[in-house]
Amino acid sequence: MSRGSTPRGGRHRGADGTRVVVVTGASGGVGRATARAFGADGAAVALIARGEHALERAAQEVREAGGRALPLVVDVSDAEAVDAAAARVEEELGPIDVWVNAAFSTVFAPVPEIRPEELRRATEVTYFGFVHGTQAALRHMTPRDRGTIVQVGSALAERSVPLQAVYCGAKHAIQGFTESLRCELLHDRSGVRVTMVQMPGLNTPQFSWVLTRLPRHPRPVAPVYQPEVAAEAVLYAADHPERRMYWVGGSTVATLLGQKLAPGLLDRYLARTGYDGQQTDDPVDPSRPVNLWKPPDDTAPADYGAHGVFDDEAHPRSLQFWLSRHRRPLALATAVTGAAAAALAGSVRRRAG
C-alpha cells in the first residue's frame, strides 16, 4: 500500500518523510496495537495513556518496530493536559499529521446498578476524552489546513446492547459529535479530515480490568477479532480519510444492517442472547483490577499488552474489511468479467444462429 505525500488529508508526511501520529489509549488493546503498527510504518508516534509502566513498554515496541516513540502520561479526561501533550508533540516530534482517539473506560452492569460517579467518570474518559483529543488536534491542524483525525468507534455506536449502557451511550455521543464536526469541516472547505472506524468484538484486555457487576467474567460479543485487525483498519482509514466511516468485521456489517432494517426485532434478539453472550462460564474474580479510577498497569510488572484472554477464538484477519478495502478493483473486475461473459454469450448465439 502506497502512502505518498499530499498537502491535504491524512497521507501527508513531514519534511524528513516521517509522519507524526498521536494515539490515545496507547498502553493497551487497540491503542497499543495501533501505535505499534504506525511504528512499523516508520512513523514518529506519541503514545498517550495513564499507566506509566505499560506506556513505556508500548513505546519500546514502537521503537522495535522501526518508529520513533514519545510516551506521555496523560488522563484524556483532563482537557488542559491533553492540550499540553499536543503542544509537546509538536515541539519534540513536529507537526501532527494523524490523531487517533482510542482511549476509553466503562462499566459492565445493568442500568439500575450503575452509580452516578461511575457513569460520570466513564463518560469523561470515553466521550470527553475523544472530544478533548479532537479539539487539541484541530488547534494544530486547522491553521495548516491538513491532518486527519481517526475516531476508533464500535458497532455499539449505532446499535446498543444490554449491560453496556455506559459504553454505548458514550460511543453514540462520539458519533454524533464527529458527524457535526465533519459538516463544519466541509462548510469551511478545510483540508482537515475526520473519519470513524466501527469495530467488532475485539480480544483486548478491557474484559480483565473493566469495572463489572456481572456474576461471570465479561467477554466480547462473538465473533471476536484480534486488536491487530482493528489497527490495520485504523492505518487504512488514516491513509484514506475521504470515507466518512469504515465498518470492520462481518458481524459489524450484519449488526448495523439489522439495526437499519429491523431494530425492534434486534431488540428482542439481544434481550434473549445479550446477557449470556457477554459473559464466560467463569465467575468474576473479586480481586481483579479496575481501571476506571486508576490504571492497573502503572507499575511493574503489570502490563496487559494489546491482547486479552480470548486468543483461542480470536480471528487474526477480517475478510469483510479486505473486501471493503478492495471494493473498487473488485467491482471493476466483476464488471469486466460480466462484460466478457455477455460478449461470449452473444458470440455463441450468433454462431448458433
Side-chain angles (χ1 to χ4, degrees):
M1 180 170 54
S2 174
R3 294 188 177 102
S5 176
T6 178
R8 301 171 72 86
R11 284 164 282 179
H12 174 269
R13 291 179 183 266
D16 64 351
T18 301
R19 277 199 298 187
V20 175
V21 180
V22 178
V23 181
T24 72
S27 63
V30 172
R32 183 147 176 178
T34 298
R36 190 166 56 217
F38 274 113
D41 190 49
V45 185
L47 301 92
I48 290 177
R50 295 177 300 160
E52 184 173 3
H53 172 67
L55 194 57
E56 289 291 345
R57 293 285 298 273
Q60 184 60 34
E61 290 179 357
V62 170
R63 297 183 188 108
E64 291 171 354
R68 294 167 59 196
L70 175 64
L72 299 170
V73 179
V74 176
D75 186 332
V76 295
S77 69
D78 184 339
E80 292 184 1
V82 175
D83 271 340
R88 185 174 169 189
V89 173
E90 294 255 329
E91 180 181 348
E92 296 193 25
L93 298 182
I96 298 168
D97 298 303
V98 179
W99 187 292
V100 180
N101 286 308
F104 80 95
S105 188
T106 188
V107 180
F108 271 77
V111 168
E113 298 180 24
I114 303 167
R115 297 168 185 164
E117 63 273 18
E118 296 165 352
L119 175 58
R120 184 178 303 108
R121 172 61 180 165
T123 302
E124 286 172 350
V125 173
T126 308
Y127 172 60
F128 284 106
F130 273 58
V131 172
H132 298 156
T134 299
Q135 289 184 318
L138 289 171
R139 291 185 185 102
H140 294 279
M141 293 177 176
T142 302
R144 293 191 289 265
D145 197 35
R146 69 168 190 263
T148 292
I149 299 167
V150 181
Q151 314 286 40
V152 176
S154 168
L156 306 189
E158 300 187 51
R159 170 65 247 185
S160 294
V161 296
L163 305 177
Q164 291 206 59
V166 174
Y167 182 81
C168 294
K171 287 297 183 180
H172 274 72
I174 291 165
Q175 179 159 319
F177 170 82
T178 301
E179 290 173 351
S180 291
L181 171 60
R182 185 181 296 110
C183 293
E184 293 173 8
L185 294 173
L186 289 169
H187 172 269
D188 296 339
R189 300 187 180 182
S190 173
V192 178
R193 301 287 183 260
V194 61
T195 187
M196 195 163 183
V197 186
Q198 308 292 48
M199 301 295 183
L202 296 167
N203 176 34
T204 65
Q206 65 148 314
F207 301 97
S208 296
W209 67 28
V210 69
L211 174 59
T212 178
R213 293 201 172 88
L214 306 182
R216 291 174 282 142
H217 192 290
R219 58 156 293 138
V221 177
V224 182
Y225 295 84
Q226 294 288 24
E228 286 77 14
V229 174
E232 179 186 4
V234 170
L235 260 69
Y236 188 81
D239 285 345
H240 303 82
E242 62 277 1
R243 280 178 63 176
R244 65 191 305 273
M245 184 177 294
Y246 290 87
W247 293 356
V248 180
S251 57
T252 299
V253 174
T255 298
L256 300 186
L257 290 178
Q259 174 65 11
K260 293 179 185 299
L261 297 174
L265 182 62
L266 203 50
D267 286 343
R268 289 187 286 274
Y269 172 77
L270 290 169
R272 291 196 308 271
T273 66
Y275 279 63
D276 285 340
Q278 295 185 84
Q279 299 177 78
T280 69
D281 293 331
D282 301 322
V284 168
D285 182 352
S287 65
R288 59 182 270 139
V290 174
N291 80 329
L292 184 62
W293 306 107
K294 61 181 182 180
D297 52 7
D298 200 27
T299 57
D303 177 23
Y304 289 82
H307 287 209
V309 296
F310 301 98
D311 278 332
D312 290 346
E313 64 174 288
H315 301 288
R317 289 173 295 277
S318 167
L319 175 61
Q320 172 275 331
F321 189 68
W322 185 90
L323 293 172
S324 177
R325 285 177 54 179
H326 297 87
R327 59 181 184 171
R328 289 182 180 176
L330 286 172
L332 178 60
T334 301
V336 170
T337 302
L344 178 60
S347 175
V348 170
R349 284 196 298 272
R350 286 193 296 273
R351 290 179 181 180

